[in-house]
C-alpha cells in the first residue's frame, strides 16, 4: 500500500448505504478500505486488535448502530487511535444533534442525502485538515459556546480581543473573538472562501479555526467529564 | 353646736359627732354652725404645723379659728358646690394658735336635704400624723373614681365598638352600663355640679341605679339567662329615685337603695345556679364577683345609709362594681384567645385544603398541559404530513405519472425531466426537514441552510452565487411553518433560475429595514429575464410564491432586472 494512500474503516448498519459508501470509496484509487462492518462491537474489537499497530486515517461511523451507540465507537477510537480522523455518517437534518459527536471527538460529517458520491472527496478533505461546518451547526455552537463566553466575560474571566489574522489559543475552552466571528459568518451562509476573503486570511486559516472549534468541543467535553468524575470522588485515594 | 333651720337658730344638744343633718332635719335645707374647742397644745411653742382632718362635712363650708377666717372654698348656699364629696383638710397656722388654752374652730355650713349634710368626727393634731389618713380617704372618695371612670370609659368604648360590629347584646349591655357608671363616677369626683340641687342628685342617682341594673343584666347574660323585667326595673328605679328626692325623706332614699339590692341579689342567685350547672372557671368567677357586689351593697345599706355613723363611712358599691369591668376584660381576653386558637386551627385546616387543592390543580394542570402538548403534537404532525403530502408527495406523484406515461409511450420518456422531478422531490424533502431545525429566530441561518443545500446544484449549473446576507434581527415569531414557506418561495425562485433563466450569476441580498420594519430578501439573476406583459400568476410558480408570501404576511414582487435578468423581492415583516 503506497504511503500516500488514505486508509478508511467503515461501520454502517444500513445495507444499501453501506454498499453505496463502499462503492464510492472503491472508485477512488487513493483510498483503501481496510475494515468494514455493520455493528459497533466488531469495529471495537478490530480497533483493539490494531492498537499500536495500525490506525486508519479515517473512521466513517454511523451514529445509529444496532448494538451500541456510535458515540461510544468515536470515543473509544479517539482513545485507542488518536491520530484517526472520525467522520460521522448522519441523516441530513440532524445537524443540531451532531454536537455530541464532535464532543466525542469527531471532526467531520457526511450527510446521507444522496450526495455520497462525493464521499471520496470529503474523506480526502478531512484527511487534509479540512472540516465541514453547516450553518445550523455554526448556529448551535454560537448559542452554546457564545453563552459560556458571555458568562465568563461577565464573571471577569480574562478575555483578550485578538489581533487581525491571529487566533490566540484559548485553553479555557471558550470562544475567541476570531472563532466567534467565523461562526457568525458561517451561520449566515458564507462559504469558507468568502469568509477567508472577508477576514483577509487564507482558507487554510479558516479550516484551522474550524478544526480548533471541534477540538475545543472535545476538550470541553473531556474537561466536564473529568470535573464530574472529580466531584464524584473518583480521583480520591 | 348651733344649728339654724329655716332662719331659726336651734341648739342641738347632741354634742357627740358625727352629726347627720338628714336624720335630725329630714327634708329641710338650712344652716349649721359648729363650734369645736380644740385642745391646748404645744404647737404654738414648738412651731410644728397642726391640721384638722374631717372625713366628711357638707355641704358648703367656711372655717374660722379663734374668729379668723381660715378657709372658704365656696360661697355658702352655692348648691353647685358640694364639700361632702371629699375629705376636708384644714392646715392650722401655728401663729393663730393661742398657747396653753383652748382654741375655737368654727365651721359655718349650709346644707341641702338628702346631700350628706352634717359633720363627721374631727381629727386634730400634727399634720404629719393626719396626712396619711386624709390621703387614704381622698383616694377612696376621689382618685379611685377617676380610675373607675377611665376604665369604664375605655371598656365602654371597646364594648360599644364590638356591639356596633357584631351586634351581640352582651357588649351592648356592658356599654350602656359603663355609660351610666361613668356618669355616676364623674358626679363623684367632680366637686362642681352641672345641675342645681336636687336635679343633680336625681341625675347622679338614676345614673348609679341604671349602672347597677345594666351591669346585673350583663351578669345574667354571661350566666346564660334572659330577664324580661329589665325595662321595668329601669323605670321602677328611676321612679323611686325621683320620689325619694321630691319627698326628700331619707327613708325613701334608703328604700330606693334597698330596691337596687333586688337585681343584685337576682344576679347572685342566677350566677350560683350557673355554677351548679356549669363548673367552668368563668361561671365561678362570675359568682364570686356577684357575691362580693351583693355583700358590698348590703354593707353600704346598713353601714352607710341606715346608720348615723354613715357620715364617717363611704359607699363601696361603685368600687366592687368595678370588678365587673375586670370581668369584662377577662372575657374579652378569653374570647380573643379562643378566636385566635380557632383561627389557628382554621388556618391549619385551610392550609391542608389549599395543599390538597394545589395538588388537584397541579394534577389538572399537568393533565391539561399533557393534553395541550398532545394537541400541539397532533397539529405539528398534521402540518408535517400536509407539508410532505403537498411538497414531496406532489413531486413523487408527478414523477410516477411521468414514468407511467413513459412506460406507455417510450417517446414521452424524458430522463432529464424525470431526474429534475426526482431532484425537486428531494429538495422538497430537505426544506421540510430543515424547517424543523432549531434556528433561534435567526432568519440568516434559514437562508444559509438553503444555500448549503442548493450550492452543489448551482455549481452543477455553472451559476455563481454572490452572497450578501447581513446580520439580521432575531425574529421571535419565526415558526417552522414560516421557515418552510420562506424556504419554499426561495427554492422555487432558485429552481426557476437553474431551469429557465440561463443565468451565470445569482445574487442573494438580505437586509434589515428598520423603517418598515421588515427583513428584505432580494434575489437577482442575470439570465434571460421575463416579459412582464406575458407573465401570468401561473408562470414559473409565481402564483404559488405569492400565495405562500401572503400566508406569512409577507410581500412578494417580481421585476425585470437591469440590464437583464429578473429581480425577486420578498419583504417579511418583523413582529
Amino acid at each position: 500500500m503506497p504511503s500516500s494512500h488514505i486508509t478508511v474503516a467503515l461501520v454502517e448498519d444500513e445495507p444499501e448505504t453501506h454498499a453505496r459508501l463502499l462503492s464510492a470509496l472503491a472508485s477512488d484509487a487513493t483510498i483503501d478500505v481496510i475494515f468494514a462492518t455493520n455493528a459497533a462491537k466488531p469495529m471495537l474489537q478490530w480497533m483493539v486488535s490494531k492498537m499500536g499497530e495500525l490506525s486508519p486515517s479515517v473512521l466513517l461511523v454511523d451514529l445509529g448502530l444496532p448494538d451500541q451507540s456510535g458515540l461510544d465507537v468515536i470515543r473509544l477510537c479517539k482513545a485507542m487511535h488518536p491520530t484517526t480522523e472520525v467522520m460521522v455518517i448522519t441523516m441530513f437534518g440532524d445537524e443540531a444533534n451532531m454536537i455530541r459527536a464532535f464532543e466525542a471527538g469527531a471532526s467531520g460529517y457526511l450527510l446521507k442525502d444522496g450526495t455520497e458520491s462525493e464521499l471520496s472527496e470529503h474523506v480526502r478533505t478531512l484527511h487534509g485538515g479540512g472540516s465541514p461546518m453547516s450553518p445550523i451547526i455554526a448556529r448551535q455552537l454560537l448559542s452554546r459556546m457564545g453563552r459560556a463566553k458571555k458568562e465568563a466575560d461577565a464573571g471577569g474571566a480574562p478575555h483578550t480581543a485578538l489581533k487581525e489574522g491571529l487566533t490566540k489559543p484559548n485553553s479555557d475552552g471558550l470562544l475567541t473573538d476570531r472563532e466567534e466571528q467565523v461562526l457568525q459568518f458561517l451561520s449566515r451562509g458564507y462559504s469558507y472562501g468568502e469568509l477567508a476573503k472577508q477576514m483577509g486570511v487564507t482558507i487554510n486559516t479558516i479550516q484551522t479555526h474550524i478544526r480548533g472549534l471541534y477540538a475545543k468541543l472535545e476538550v470541553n467535553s473531556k474537561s466536564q467529564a473529568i470535573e464530574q468524575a472529580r466531584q464524584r470522588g473518583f480521583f480520591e485515594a | 353646736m348651733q344649728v339654724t333651720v329655716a332662719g331659726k337658730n336651734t341648739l342641738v344638744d347632741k354634742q357627740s359627732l358625727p352629726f347627720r343633718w338628714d336624720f335630725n332635719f329630714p327634708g329641710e335645707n338650712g344652716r349649721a354652725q359648729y363650734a369645736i374647742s380644740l385642745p391646748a397644745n404645744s404647737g404654738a411653742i414648738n412651731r410644728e404645723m397642726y391640721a384638722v382632718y374631717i372625713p366628711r362635712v357638707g355641704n358648703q363650708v367656711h372655717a374660722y379659728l379663734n374668729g379668723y377666717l381660715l378657709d372658704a372654698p365656696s360661697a355658702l348656699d352655692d348648691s353647685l358646690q358640694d364639700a361632702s364629696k371629699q375629705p376636708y383638710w384644714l392646715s392650722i397656722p401655728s401663729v393663730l394658735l393661742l398657747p396653753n388654752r383652748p382654741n375655737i374652730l368654727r365651721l359655718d355650713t349650709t346644707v341641702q336635704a338628702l346631700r350628706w349634710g352634717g359633720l363627721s368626727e374631727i381629727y386634730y393634731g400634727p399634720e404629719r400624723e393626719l396626712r396619711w389618713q386624709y390621703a387614704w380617704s381622698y383616694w377612696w372618695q376621689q382618685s379611685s373614681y377617676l380610675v373607675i371612670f377611665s376604665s369604664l370609659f375605655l371598656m365602654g368604648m371597646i364594648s360599644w365598638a364590638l356591639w356596633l360590629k357584631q351586634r351581640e347584646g352582651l357588649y351592648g349591655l356592658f356599654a350602656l352600663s359603663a355609660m351610666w357608671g361613668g356618669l355616676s363616677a364623674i358626679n363623684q369626683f367632680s366637686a362642681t355640679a352641672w345641675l342645681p340641687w336636687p336635679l343633680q342628685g336625681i341625675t347622679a342617682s338614676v345614673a348609679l341605679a341604671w349602672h347597677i341594673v345594666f351591669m346585673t343584666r350583663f351578669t345574667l347574660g354571661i350566666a346564660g339567662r334572659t330577664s324580661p323585667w329589665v325595662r321595668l326595673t329601669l323605670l321602677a328605679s328611676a321612679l323611686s329615685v325621683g320620689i325619694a328626692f321630691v319627698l326628700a325623706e331619707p327613708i325613701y332614699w334608703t328604700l330606693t337603695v334597698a330596691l337596687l339590692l333586688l337585681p343584685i341579689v337576682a344576679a347572685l342567685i342566677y350566677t350560683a345556679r350557673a355554677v351548679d350547672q356549669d363548673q367552668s372557671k368563668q361561671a365561678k368567677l362570675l359568682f364570686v364577683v356577684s357575691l362580693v357586689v351583693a355583700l358590698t351593697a348590703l354593707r353600704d345599706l346598713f353601714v352607710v345609709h341606715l346608720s348615723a355613723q354613715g357620715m364617717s363611712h363611704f359607699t363601696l358599691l361603685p368600687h366592687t362594681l368595678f370588678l365587673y369591668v375586670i370581668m369584662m376584660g377577662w372575657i374579652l381576653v378569653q374570647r380573643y384567645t379562643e378566636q385566635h386558637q380557632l383561627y389557628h386551627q382554621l388556618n391549619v385546616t385551610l392550609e391542608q385544603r389549599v395543599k390538597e387543592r394545589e395538588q388537584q390543580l397541579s394534577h389538572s394542570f399537568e393533565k391539561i398541559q399533557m393534553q395541550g402538548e398532545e394537541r400541539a403534537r397532533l397539529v405539528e404532525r398534521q402540518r408535517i404530513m400536509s407539508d410532505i403530502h403537498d411538497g414531496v408527495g406532489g413531486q413523487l406523484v408527478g414523477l410516477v405519472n411521468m414514468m407511467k406515461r413513459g412506460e406507455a409511450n417510450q417517446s414521452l420518456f424524458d430522463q432529464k425531466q424525470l431526474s429534475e422531478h426526482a431532484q425537486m422531490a428531494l429538495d422538497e424533502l430537505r426544506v421540510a426537514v430543515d424547517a424543523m431545525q432549531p434556528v433561534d429566530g435567526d432568519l440568516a441561518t434559514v437562508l444559509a441552510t438553503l444555500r448549503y443545500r442548493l450550492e452543489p446544484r448551482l455549481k452543477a449549473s455553472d451559476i455563481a452565487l454572490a452572497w450578501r446576507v447581513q446580520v439580521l434581527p432575531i425574529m421571535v415569531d419565526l415558526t417552522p411553518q414560516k421557515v418552510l414557506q420562506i424556504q419554499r418561495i426561495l427554492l422555487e425562485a432558485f429552481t426557476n433560475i437553474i431551469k429557465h433563466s440561463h443565468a451565470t450569476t445569482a445574487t442573494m441580498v438580505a437586509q434589515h429595514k428598520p423603517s418598515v420594519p421588515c427583513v428584505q430578501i432580494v434575489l437577482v439573476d442575470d439570465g434571460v429575464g421575463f416579459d412582464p406583459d406575458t407573465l401570468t400568476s401561473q408562470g414559473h410558480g409565481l402564483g404559488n410564491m405569492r400565495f405562500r408570501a401572503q400566508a406569512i404576511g409577507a410581500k412578494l414582487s417580481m421585476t425585470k432586472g437591469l440590464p437583464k435578468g429578473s429581480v425577486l423581492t420578498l419583504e417579511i415583516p418583523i413582529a
Side-chain angles (χ1 to χ4, degrees):
Chain A
M1 187 187 309
S3 59
S4 60
H5 276 212
I6 301 168
T7 53
V8 173
L10 169 69
V11 53
E12 165 64 63
D13 64 316
E14 200 184 4
E16 282 183 17
T17 311
H18 188 106
R20 275 208 313 275
L21 293 175
L22 279 180
S23 166
L25 292 169
S27 65
D28 193 316
T30 61
I31 295 175
D32 291 321
V33 179
I34 55 174
F35 183 72
T37 180
N38 57 3
K41 277 179 183 156
M43 176 55 79
L44 291 173
Q45 281 168 2
W46 181 81
M47 281 196 290
V48 171
S49 67
K50 296 294 177 188
M51 204 162 61
E53 185 189 325
L54 172 67
S55 291
S57 312
V58 175
L59 169 70
L60 292 174
V61 56
D62 183 15
L63 289 182
L65 294 172
D67 53 346
Q68 205 169 340
S69 167
L71 293 174
D72 292 340
V73 177
I74 298 171
R75 262 190 292 271
L76 290 166
C77 175
K78 291 302 282 185
M80 291 185 279
H81 303 275
T83 56
T84 301
E85 301 286 354
V86 179
M87 180 175 259
V88 179
I89 306 158
T90 181
M91 288 294 292
F92 83 91
D94 195 37
E95 287 105 313
N97 295 319
M98 285 293 296
I99 305 281
R100 283 186 301 161
F102 297 128
E103 285 177 342
S107 50
Y109 60 92
L110 176 77
L111 299 181
K112 289 191 218 176
D113 65 345
T115 57
E116 296 96 331
S117 55
E118 296 164 8
L119 175 61
S120 56
E121 191 186 328
H122 288 310
V123 169
R124 275 201 305 276
T125 306
L126 183 68
H127 185 60
S131 281
M133 184 175 281
S134 75
I136 286 175
I137 291 174
R139 161 57 52 193
Q140 291 290 312
L141 289 183
L142 263 180
S143 298
R144 192 182 165 120
M145 298 173 83
R147 200 184 305 131
K149 176 175 178 281
K150 273 180 196 161
E151 283 166 7
D153 285 350
H159 179 75
T160 314
L162 300 173
K163 302 278 183 200
E164 193 70 18
L166 292 175
T167 301
K168 183 182 172 185
N170 195 336
S171 59
D172 57 10
L174 300 178
L175 284 184
T176 63
D177 285 356
R178 208 60 163 157
E179 286 167 345
E180 190 171 345
Q181 198 181 3
V182 167
L183 289 175
Q184 288 282 7
F185 274 109
L186 288 179
S187 71
R188 274 158 49 205
Y190 285 85
S191 66
Y192 287 5
E194 288 164 343
L195 188 51
K197 206 172 170 185
Q198 289 264 1
M199 292 171 69
V201 295
T202 64
I203 289 183
N204 280 342
T205 308
I206 301 296
Q207 294 280 18
T208 308
H209 282 311
I210 304 295
R211 295 299 285 256
L213 281 163
Y214 284 138
K216 212 167 255 188
L217 267 180
E218 189 188 352
V219 167
N220 277 355
S221 171
K222 280 181 181 166
S223 309
Q224 282 168 10
I226 291 167
E227 179 61 19
Q228 279 176 8
R230 194 185 60 73
Q231 285 175 357
R232 290 175 190 180
F234 289 169
F235 298 150
E236 287 171 13
Chain B
M1 285 194 295
Q2 184 172 326
V3 180
T4 306
V5 181
K8 294 176 186 173
N9 287 336
T10 308
L11 279 175
V12 177
D13 55 1
K14 189 174 183 179
Q15 296 296 317
S16 59
L17 294 176
F19 171 70
R20 190 161 175 180
W21 174 278
D22 288 327
F23 282 12
N24 291 281
F25 307 104
E28 300 279 358
N29 297 334
R31 284 172 178 265
Q33 189 180 74
Y34 312 97
I36 301 108
S37 175
L38 301 178
N41 57 62
S42 57
I45 299 163
N46 61 20
R47 302 262 172 206
E48 188 176 19
M49 282 298 286
Y50 269 64
V52 168
Y53 156 60
I54 306 170
R56 178 139 57 194
V57 59
N59 295 102
Q60 296 83 35
V61 61
H62 284 182
Y64 298 86
L65 181 69
N66 298 326
Y68 293 99
L69 179 65
L70 277 188
D71 185 34
S74 66
L76 295 176
D77 282 327
D78 180 2
S79 69
L80 289 177
Q81 304 299 322
D82 187 3
S84 70
K85 288 179 181 173
Q86 53 184 293
Y88 191 70
W89 178 265
L90 199 59
S91 288
I92 307 290
S94 56
V95 291
L96 294 180
L97 286 172
L98 301 172
N100 302 320
R101 57 179 168 142
N103 293 278
I104 302 301
L105 173 70
R106 198 183 86 224
L107 298 172
D108 289 356
T109 63
T110 48
V111 182
Q112 290 82 45
L114 285 182
R115 205 181 187 184
W116 290 104
L119 183 66
S120 68
E121 73 271 26
I122 294 175
Y123 299 92
Y124 172 65
E127 256 194 29
R128 57 186 166 77
E129 289 177 11
L130 297 179
R131 180 61 73 181
W132 71 269
Q133 287 184 51
Y134 170 77
W136 180 247
S137 183
Y138 189 86
W139 157 255
W140 281 107
Q141 291 186 69
Q142 288 289 300
S143 308
S144 61
Y145 282 94
L146 197 60
V147 173
I148 289 169
F149 169 76
S150 307
S151 306
L152 283 170
F153 182 78
L154 181 68
M155 290 301 291
M157 285 293 116
I158 292 171
S159 301
W160 195 250
L162 285 169
W163 182 79
L164 283 176
K165 287 277 177 193
Q166 302 178 9
R167 296 283 167 181
E168 188 179 336
L170 217 55
Y171 296 128
L173 285 170
F174 188 88
L176 283 169
S177 175
M179 186 179 79
W180 293 112
L183 193 64
S184 170
I186 291 174
N187 171 65
Q188 185 60 34
F189 67 72
S190 165
T192 304
W194 58 82
L195 288 171
W197 195 263
L199 288 176
Q200 172 77 14
I202 293 170
T203 314
S205 301
V206 169
L208 178 64
W210 287 6
H211 173 45
I212 292 166
V213 172
F214 280 117
M215 197 57 90
T216 48
R217 177 67 189 84
F218 164 75
T219 309
L220 294 177
I222 298 175
R225 297 278 174 178
T226 53
S227 50
W229 36 262
V230 174
R231 284 180 192 171
L232 186 67
T233 316
L234 288 172
L235 195 63
S237 57
L239 267 175
S240 178
V241 168
I243 290 166
F245 273 88
V246 168
L247 297 176
E249 282 288 338
I251 186 65
Y252 294 119
W253 174 237
T254 305
L255 280 174
T256 302
V257 173
L259 184 69
L260 286 174
L261 266 171
L262 292 176
I264 291 173
V265 171
L268 181 65
I269 292 167
Y270 282 123
T271 52
R273 282 188 188 171
V275 172
D276 190 42
Q277 290 165 2
D278 169 21
Q279 291 290 322
S280 71
K281 196 186 283 181
Q282 182 175 296
K284 287 176 186 170
L285 190 65
L286 198 62
F287 171 71
V288 171
V289 171
S290 299
L291 183 63
V292 172
V293 169
L295 290 175
T296 312
L298 277 172
R299 176 258 175 201
D300 285 356
L301 178 65
F302 290 104
V303 176
V304 183
H305 295 287
L306 289 174
S307 166
Q309 300 295 321
M311 279 303 286
S312 303
H313 296 94
F314 316 103
T315 53
L316 290 177
L317 185 61
H319 300 84
T320 48
L321 282 172
F322 179 69
L323 290 174
Y324 282 118
V325 179
I326 298 170
M327 181 79 198
M328 181 65 182
W330 186 77
I331 288 170
L332 287 179
V333 170
Q334 278 286 102
R335 287 191 173 187
Y336 174 79
T337 312
E338 282 168 10
Q339 287 292 322
H340 183 74
Q341 284 171 346
L342 192 69
Y343 283 132
H344 179 71
Q345 277 186 336
L346 276 174
N347 263 342
V348 172
T349 314
L350 201 63
E351 269 178 25
Q352 278 178 340
R353 284 188 182 173
V354 167
K355 260 185 197 168
E356 286 169 10
R357 190 49 63 92
E358 270 179 0
Q359 279 178 342
Q360 286 173 355
L361 280 174
S362 178
H363 288 319
S364 303
F365 180 72
E366 278 172 19
K367 205 172 167 184
I368 290 168
Q369 205 175 16
M370 279 170 66
Q371 286 172 347
E373 283 170 5
E374 186 59 39
R375 222 177 4 253
R377 272 198 293 272
L378 190 67
V379 169
E380 185 63 9
R381 205 177 295 143
Q382 283 173 337
R383 185 190 70 75
I384 293 168
M385 276 161 48
S386 167
D387 288 343
I388 291 173
H389 182 268
D390 294 352
V392 184
Q395 295 295 344
L396 287 175
V397 168
L399 193 61
V400 170
N401 283 337
M402 281 177 74
M403 289 178 77
K404 280 183 179 169
R405 279 204 307 274
E407 282 169 5
N409 187 346
Q410 280 291 324
S411 62
L412 293 174
F413 195 84
D414 185 344
Q415 193 168 354
K416 193 185 169 198
Q417 213 174 3
L418 280 175
S419 174
E420 278 175 1
H421 262 274
Q423 185 62 53
M424 282 162 72
L426 192 60
D427 288 342
E428 279 289 349
L429 182 64
R430 282 172 172 168
V431 294
V433 174
D434 282 341
M436 286 181 281
Q437 298 274 43
V439 291
D440 302 330
D442 188 1
L443 183 60
T445 304
V446 173
L447 303 177
T449 305
L450 191 70
R451 180 190 188 184
Y452 196 70
R453 306 292 184 220
L454 287 174
E455 188 78 48
R457 284 180 61 200
L458 288 166
K459 266 188 190 168
S461 304
D462 289 327
I463 299 172
L465 178 61
W467 196 253
R468 308 271 185 275
V469 175
Q470 297 177 2
V471 176
L472 301 177
I474 295 298
M475 296 168 73
V476 288
D477 59 341
L478 195 61
T479 58
Q481 204 166 2
K482 211 167 186 175
V483 168
L484 183 65
Q485 299 292 20
I486 295 167
Q487 282 184 323
R488 277 184 168 166
I489 291 168
L490 295 172
L491 180 66
E492 187 83 47
F494 273 111
T495 305
N496 284 341
I497 291 172
I498 292 167
K499 281 172 69 178
H500 308 295
S501 73
H502 305 293
T504 55
T505 308
T507 305
M508 176 79 157
V509 180
Q511 59 189 350
H512 177 212
K513 293 184 81 176
S515 55
V516 178
C518 73
V519 170
Q520 187 189 56
I521 298 169
V522 182
L523 181 59
V524 184
D525 71 76
D526 62 351
V528 294
F530 61 92
D531 182 356
D533 297 331
T534 59
L535 185 71
T536 65
S537 63
Q538 305 302 321
H540 303 311
L542 190 60
N544 273 340
M545 288 195 277
R546 285 216 169 104
F547 176 75
R548 293 185 196 286
Q550 278 172 3
I552 57 170
K555 276 197 284 188
L556 184 132
S557 65
M558 187 92 169
T559 54
K560 282 192 78 171
L562 287 174
K564 58 176 186 169
S566 60
V567 179
L568 179 130
T569 307
L570 179 66
E571 288 186 345
I572 304 158
I574 298 172

